Amino acid sequence: GAPWLRAATRAGLRVREDIHGAWVQRAWRVGVAMRAERPDVVIAKGKKAARWATWGRALGGGGRVALFFGLTHELDPARWVDRVTWRGVDAGIVVAHGAARWYDAHGFGPRAKLHVLWKGVDLATFDAAQAGAAAVRAALGLRPDELAVGTVGRLAWQKGIDHLLAAVRLARPRLPRARFFVIGGGRDAHAVLEPREVRR
């Protein structure tokens, strides 16, 4: 019933909604699903899911397992279970070249096992937008001497929105001409929209 599963169903993808329960139950059900589907590649988001996938492969599910890193420094070289997890997967996917270098330098190599799905920013797009900057500032009610500071994205606690709001409270007395904008939606949007006392 998760929204992303419903979206996948609407897109015509075959969806399995039976991967739930306690850790052992989920691990077992991933193995059952892999034996039934016989995937060529399993992309696991998170190290627990990667361990389930390598276990499912060992039970006859076949295929290769790629770990898509959701956090920077998700694997800890001091944790034996993380070292075992890395040895069990066939590849790692990171979203920054710096992350790939960090993992390789901390024993999660070889470097060829790490693949970068770059999520950087093309600055040329922002340079082209400068022509309309004055109109956007006017629509936001910004004076020429005011500084606009904003963030755009999915509003979830993992994104550190609470840290941003704490930083705003610290910065406002020092930057009286700054205006702050939070743009987006998501699971925690209601919490972000709640009235908060901000010292001016």
Side-chain angles (χ1 to χ4, degrees), residues 8 21 80 90 125 153 176 180 189:
W80 68 268
D90 298 289
T125 302
F180 298 88

Side-chain angles (χ1 to χ4, degrees), residues 7 27 29 37 42 56 80 85 105 112 131-132 143 153-154 170-171 173 184 187 190 198 200:
R29 287 169 177 161
E37 302 292 338
V42 176
W80 68 268
T85 299
R143 297 191 306 269
R154 182 173 62 91
L170 290 173
R187 184 189 61 223
H190 66 284
V198 179
R200 297 180 183 275

Side-chain angles (χ1 to χ4, degrees), residues 26-27 33 72 124 183 195:
R26 284 180 284 170
T72 304
I183 304 165

